[in-house]
């Protein structure tokens, strides 16, 4: 199965995030850049304009770090919305899951195939007809972050259930 957001080949499922509009992309990059660079410019300006020697105050550092951390968070949101994908891999009687942000990856989660169940859940506004993939076992429940069209999500569930039945035998 291969669509714009779903790629299922060689025991590996990739769910890609649908890319945002140009406006959202430009806004996130601009806001992240401003939040990271502005405190550094202000800090450098204070350092060069000081008359009697520069003293680093704790509050100055703390107040400078707040927008920098927020900028890094916005940058992470941008990277997820532009490059993000979730990867599910069937390996040796288990399903391994992780998120890929292109520049970094999340920790891998394992699900035993014998205990595994797939389903979908409605997501977003009613008229959008979007769903997310839910992977459940006795111990863990994972809800996908990638929204898929309902029709494609239902086809994916059928395909995954067929794959599970093959691996259980």
């Amino acid at each position: 199965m291969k669509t714009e957001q779903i790629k299922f080949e060689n025991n590996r499922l990739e769910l890609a995030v649908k890319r945002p509009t140009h406006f959202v992309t430009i806004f996130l990059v601009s806001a992240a850049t401003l939040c990271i660079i502005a405190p550094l410019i202000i800090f450098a300006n204070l350092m060069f304009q000081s008359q009697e020697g520069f003293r680093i105050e704790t509050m100055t550092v703390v107040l400078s770090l707040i927008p920098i951390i927020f900028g890094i968070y916005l940058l992470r949101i941008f990277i997820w919305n532009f490059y993000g994908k979730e990867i599910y891999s069937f390996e040796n009687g288990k399903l391994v899951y992780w998120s890929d942000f292109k520049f970094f990856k999340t920790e891998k989660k394992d699900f035993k195939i014998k205990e595994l169940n797939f389903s979908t859940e409605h997501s977003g506004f009613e008229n959008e007809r979007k769903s997310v993939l839910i992977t459940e076992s006795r111990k863990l429940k994972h809800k996908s972050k990638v929204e898929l069209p309902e029709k494609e999500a239902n086809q994916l569930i059928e395909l995954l259930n067929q794959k599970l039945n093959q691996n259980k035998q």
Side-chain angles (χ1 to χ4, degrees):
M1 177 177 195
K2 192 169 186 177
T3 66
E4 182 183 335
Q5 289 184 270
I6 302 170
K7 183 178 164 186
F8 191 38
E9 297 174 345
N10 302 327
N11 293 331
R12 183 178 165 117
L13 169 66
E14 291 183 12
L15 301 178
V17 175
K18 192 170 183 177
R19 288 196 173 178
T21 62
H22 290 298
F23 174 75
V24 172
T25 302
I26 291 168
F27 174 76
L28 282 173
V29 170
S30 301
T33 303
L34 181 68
C35 287
I36 293 170
I37 292 177
L40 297 175
I41 291 171
I42 293 170
F43 196 68
N45 192 23
L46 285 174
M47 190 168 72
F48 290 123
Q49 287 185 355
S50 112
Q51 299 290 331
E52 50 200 54
F54 186 67
R55 250 183 51 194
I56 298 178
E57 298 284 332
T58 305
M59 281 307 281
T60 306
V61 173
V62 170
L63 292 176
S64 296
L65 286 177
I66 293 171
I68 291 173
I69 291 170
F70 183 67
I72 292 170
Y73 175 73
L74 287 177
L75 194 59
R76 181 176 177 190
I77 290 173
F78 163 73
I79 291 171
W80 171 254
N81 282 313
F82 209 72
Y83 299 112
K85 59 185 170 183
E86 292 182 334
I87 300 170
Y88 298 82
S89 179
F90 292 90
E91 303 171 354
N92 303 325
K94 62 184 175 180
L95 177 72
V96 181
Y97 159 82
W98 69 93
S99 294
D100 186 356
F101 289 69
K102 188 172 183 176
F103 302 110
F104 56 95
K105 297 174 181 163
T106 61
E107 185 178 331
K108 293 183 178 184
K109 293 181 185 177
D110 294 353
F111 296 92
K112 290 183 181 177
I113 287 183
K114 292 179 183 177
E115 306 169 354
L116 205 53
N117 184 30
F118 292 106
S119 62
T120 61
E121 183 177 288
H122 181 73
S123 178
F125 295 110
E126 190 69 33
N127 61 351
E128 287 183 335
R129 300 198 177 277
K130 299 279 185 175
S131 294
V132 293
L133 178 68
I134 296 178
T135 309
E136 285 183 270
S137 69
R138 287 187 208 151
K139 299 176 184 174
L140 297 170
K141 180 178 180 179
H142 171 73
K143 187 175 178 181
S144 175
K145 310 292 184 275
V146 178
E147 289 184 335
L148 302 168
E150 277 184 358
K151 186 178 177 182
E152 290 178 12
N154 291 333
Q155 291 173 347
L156 179 63
I157 292 296
E158 289 176 18
L159 185 65
L160 288 172
N161 285 329
Q162 288 174 0
K163 185 70 177 167
L164 276 180
N165 291 333
Q166 288 174 358
N167 284 340
K168 285 180 182 178
Q169 294 173 354

